[in-house]
Amino acid sequence: MGIANFSKFTQFKDLIKALPAVYTDEMIKSEQFLLEREEKKKLEIYYAPFEYVNERAKVVIVGITPSLH
């Protein structure tokens, strides 16, 4: 069990830890968490920590969220 090999968590963990307990959408939709931006498509991709892998899991839930919620 642990963080996946391709993880960016180590790159972002200090930024995540620096967030206050109550944070706003603007705090996480900031340049510091921005991974990629495509101006023509009006697409922005921000880092979200989901790289933990439980190797003993019997069920895997996979999904994609097109927004913050």
Side-chain angles (χ1 to χ4, degrees):
M1 292 189 281
I3 302 295
N5 294 341
F6 56 83
S7 174
K8 290 186 178 282
F9 182 75
T10 54
Q11 178 182 343
F12 290 96
K13 72 178 179 180
D14 291 333
L15 293 172
I16 294 168
K17 286 170 56 176
L19 288 169
V22 178
Y23 56 86
T24 64
D25 291 351
E26 290 76 27
M27 289 177 180
I28 57 176
K29 283 182 61 182
S30 64
E31 291 292 323
Q32 61 187 357
F33 291 110
L34 183 66
L35 295 175
E36 193 168 330
R37 175 181 285 138
E38 175 60 56
E39 297 290 339
K40 289 182 180 179
K41 296 180 182 179
K42 297 181 182 177
L43 176 68
E44 295 176 336
I45 300 171
Y46 294 89
Y47 176 75
F50 62 91
E51 296 127 332
Y52 180 81
V53 176
N54 180 346
E55 295 174 355
R56 294 182 174 181
K58 297 192 188 267
V59 175
V60 177
I61 300 171
V62 179
I64 187 165
T65 304
S67 65
L68 289 173
H69 309 283

